[in-house]
Amino acid sequence: DIIVTPIDGRLKNVRLNADTLTAKVQLTAKERSGLEVKRFETNLRLHPQLMEFANMDLQLNNSRLGSYYAMRYTSLDAMEDFVDSVQVTAMLRNSTVHTDDLGFFATELRGIGQIGTLSGDATGTISNFVVQNADLRTGNSRFTGTYKMKGLLDIDKTVINVETGGSQFDLKDIEPWAPALKDLRSTPLYNAGLLQYKGRFDGTINNFTTDGHLQTAAGGMDATVAVNMNGPAKGFDGTIRNAQLNGARLLGVPSMGMMKFNGKISSNGFSAATPIKMKGDVSAIEYGGYTYHDILADAVFVNESLSANLSSTDPYLMANFTTVLDFRKKKQSYNARGAVAYANLHALQLTKDSV
């Protein structure tokens, strides 16, 4: 139960017109759990089907919200089923939200320790609502678009549908929500820099699918990925399309340039010790001044090491070979072993002499 005490408030310009009460409200309050209303100021409008707070300024322990909030209901009896029966309208403009304050209502958010700036227009019930024109900024990340959430009171089961025309993610800002990411800091994933995403997110925070375009400092790709964060099916499975990536930036191999890739990616977990499997078609890859074509790749990334079996049908290289990159080394080298059926070393720019 929520018990608020003490409450210190003032009412100004109080007017009663038929069944509608209006007033200028100022108050402060404390709740026994530690949540504090440091300042609440608003233009109140109240009648049997509406409670409206216009020009609202709400300051909590670490958050500040404004500027409009309203609750609509058939009668005050609907308050007994507030989550499902009361229609809420909220307009937030450059509001400051701290997860420590949200933790008073959703204990799963305690300890996250993040603060963000939020704007958007929310409508619906607490159990089923839509946020349009959403704009959330935290750290180096910015999330924009339309958000639909159903079942918010149980965050692990909340169904979330997001459509974004362009959001930006810094993986370090995501780490408090997905701590396993910390194990991947020395991997190519973090070499990509900020992630810019345009597309969809559908599911819960633990079981979801994304479908869209990902752009990074190392290049971009279209991808559809299904992710399960928990349970026996933990891991991810996805399809990568039209990937164009800078190998020098992503893999740390100075002699490598752009590579084009289409294929599959999957894993049974998220730790550095869990293999990530990649299989597909490298249609082009620049290395040592030559662009290789038509290479089939079957690779595994585990414990900061990438091993790949490659089969080339390039016009100047017919070969099957294996290579390993160890990302624990500050400087990468590219060595390969295998069987070569045909190689034109001069065309491949591996020698200055014609062979």
Side-chain angles (χ1 to χ4, degrees):
D1 294 339
I2 296 177
I3 299 178
V4 181
T5 181
I7 299 176
D8 181 16
R10 295 181 180 182
L11 298 177
K12 297 181 180 180
N13 303 325
V14 180
R15 292 184 175 86
L16 181 61
N17 183 7
D19 63 352
T20 301
L21 173 71
T22 59
K24 178 75 172 181
V25 178
Q26 294 178 323
L27 64 82
T28 60
K30 291 185 178 180
E31 204 276 328
R32 65 176 179 176
S33 65
L35 179 65
E36 181 179 358
V37 179
K38 295 181 177 180
R39 173 188 176 95
F40 180 62
E41 186 171 321
T42 188
N43 295 329
L44 173 67
R45 184 162 66 104
L46 178 65
H47 65 65
Q49 288 81 40
L50 173 72
M51 190 179 298
E52 179 185 70
F53 306 91
N55 299 317
M56 181 184 71
D57 182 12
L58 173 60
Q59 298 179 34
L60 304 176
N61 302 46
N62 304 287
S63 304
R64 185 171 187 175
L65 306 175
S67 59
Y68 179 87
Y69 178 77
M71 296 180 290
R72 292 174 171 81
Y73 34 82
T74 55
S75 70
L76 286 175
D77 292 338
M79 288 293 184
E80 296 181 6
D81 187 26
F82 179 81
V83 171
D84 296 314
S85 300
V86 176
Q87 291 288 326
V88 172
T89 300
M91 291 183 286
L92 301 178
R93 298 294 180 267
N94 297 317
S95 294
T96 302
V97 181
H98 200 295
T99 54
D100 286 354
D101 293 340
L102 296 176
F104 287 107
F105 306 96
T107 56
E108 297 89 347
L109 300 180
R110 291 178 182 173
I112 295 293
Q114 268 187 331
I115 189 169
T117 302
L118 176 64
S119 297
D121 303 312
T123 57
T125 63
I126 297 298
S127 62
N128 189 3
F129 69 92
V130 177
V131 181
Q132 295 179 313
N133 306 312
D135 189 345
L136 172 62
R137 306 182 189 200
T138 180
N140 294 318
S141 301
R142 183 179 183 183
F143 309 84
T144 63
T146 299
Y147 294 70
K148 298 179 181 178
M149 296 189 180
K150 190 172 183 179
L152 183 62
L153 291 188
D154 188 342
I155 190 64
D156 288 329
K157 296 181 180 179
T158 300
V159 178
I160 306 169
N161 305 105
V162 179
E163 186 168 355
T164 175
S167 291
Q168 175 176 290
F169 306 91
D170 185 334
L171 290 175
K172 291 183 179 179
D173 295 330
I174 309 298
E175 285 178 358
W177 305 86
L181 283 174
K182 294 180 182 179
D183 295 334
L184 305 178
R185 283 185 177 179
S186 60
T187 70
L189 184 62
Y190 276 75
N191 293 340
L194 293 177
L195 310 179
Q196 297 177 347
Y197 182 72
K198 178 180 180 181
R200 292 190 58 84
F201 173 107
D202 297 284
T204 67
I205 61 171
N206 293 314
N207 190 348
F208 59 87
T209 299
T210 64
D211 184 18
H213 180 77
L214 184 67
Q215 190 68 36
T216 76
M221 69 181 73
D222 298 319
T224 302
V225 182
V227 180
N228 195 325
M229 301 295 295
N230 297 311
K234 181 178 180 180
F236 60 87
D237 193 341
T239 301
I240 295 174
R241 306 176 300 276
N242 307 315
Q244 297 191 47
L245 302 169
N246 186 308
R249 172 65 186 262
L250 187 66
L251 302 177
V253 181
S255 299
M256 190 176 292
M258 295 300 295
M259 55 182 176
K260 298 179 180 180
F261 176 78
N262 289 277
K264 302 282 188 179
I265 183 170
S266 64
S267 179
N268 293 323
F270 302 95
S271 71
T274 304
I276 299 175
K277 300 177 182 179
M278 296 161 282
K279 189 173 184 178
D281 174 29
V282 181
S283 58
I285 181 170
E286 299 173 1
Y287 184 78
Y290 177 77
T291 301
Y292 295 79
H293 294 87
D294 302 324
I295 297 176
L296 295 178
D298 189 351
V300 175
F301 180 83
V302 63
N303 291 326
E304 303 180 43
S305 178
L306 176 69
S307 60
N309 295 316
L310 306 173
S311 178
S312 172
T313 55
D314 182 89
Y316 297 117
L317 178 65
M318 303 289 291
N320 295 298
F321 52 97
T322 299
T323 185
V324 177
L325 295 176
D326 188 345
F327 294 98
R328 290 166 292 191
K329 298 179 180 178
K330 292 185 178 180
K331 186 176 180 180
Q332 293 298 323
S333 60
Y334 184 83
N335 297 303
R337 292 183 177 181
V340 178
Y342 168 75
N344 186 324
L345 301 183
H346 179 69
L348 298 174
Q349 299 189 30
L350 297 177
T351 179
K352 294 181 180 180
D353 299 324
S354 297
V355 178

